[in-house]
């Protein structure tokens, strides 16, 4: 069974996540763009990701892969250090990509893949 979850920003061309069996495919998540600080926006992005996971009975502990998109490579360590606060039971595999964003205030976004055995689903 495939379940597509609506996103929180009103774009019907992109689901916040798609649940396919035991896997949760997470679309881009961002936030905190009112503050020009990568660590702040990283926290907001991970909070948004966490909320989406909770909506399908999962948590950040279920993350197996995460892509971290950042605008400025010079800021990498400041943002990456935030991950320690969110992944207390071990970090997922991560790729970091330096890119531009549609929103001029956006400094980062995350997406990824989570694994949640259906037997544990709510």
């Amino acid at each position: 069974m495939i379940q597509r979850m609506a996103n929180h920003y009103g774009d019907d061309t992109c689901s916040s996540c798609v649940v396919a069996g035991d896997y949760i495919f997470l679309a881009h998540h961002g936030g905190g763009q009112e503050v020009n600080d990568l660590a702040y926006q990283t926290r907001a992005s991970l909070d948004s990701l966490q909320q989406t996971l909770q909506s399908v009975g999962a948590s950040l502990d279920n993350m197996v892969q995460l892509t971290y998109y950042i605008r400025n490579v010079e800021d990498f360590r400041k943002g990456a250090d935030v991950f320690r606060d969110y992944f207390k039971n071990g970090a997922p595999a991560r790729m970091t990509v330096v890119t531009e964003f549609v929103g001029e205030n956006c400094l980062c976004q995350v997406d990824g893949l989570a694994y949640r055995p259906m037997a544990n689903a709510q």
Side-chain angles (χ1 to χ4, degrees):
M1 179 174 134
I2 296 176
Q3 177 185 16
R4 292 173 174 81
M5 302 300 290
N7 63 53
H8 58 279
Y9 49 87
D11 180 354
D12 65 355
T13 67
C14 181
S15 299
S16 62
C17 73
V18 174
V19 180
D22 293 343
Y23 293 93
I24 305 164
F25 298 85
L26 293 132
H28 63 285
H29 284 69
Q33 295 174 17
E34 67 279 3
V35 176
N36 187 27
D37 179 76
L38 181 62
Y40 182 88
Q41 288 192 23
T42 300
R43 283 185 191 87
S45 298
L46 292 171
D47 287 343
S48 177
L49 191 74
Q50 187 171 34
Q51 289 172 359
T52 296
L53 286 165
Q54 288 172 344
S55 76
V56 294
S59 73
L60 290 174
D61 287 339
N62 295 103
M63 292 297 300
V64 294
Q65 185 276 327
L66 186 138
T67 304
Y68 183 44
Y69 301 91
I70 59 174
R71 183 179 295 269
N72 301 306
V73 70
E74 307 84 35
D75 293 336
F76 168 75
R77 185 74 294 163
K78 181 173 29 169
D81 285 345
V82 171
F83 284 75
R84 286 187 189 95
D85 296 333
Y86 286 82
F87 297 100
K88 303 283 189 189
N89 297 317
R94 183 180 75 218
M95 174 68 177
T96 301
V97 177
V98 177
T99 188
E100 293 185 27
F101 297 99
V102 174
E104 65 183 51
N105 296 331
C106 184
L107 300 177
C108 71
Q109 293 182 349
V110 294
D111 69 13
L113 176 64
Y115 175 75
R116 181 219 48 213
M118 292 298 289
N120 297 339
Q122 296 179 9

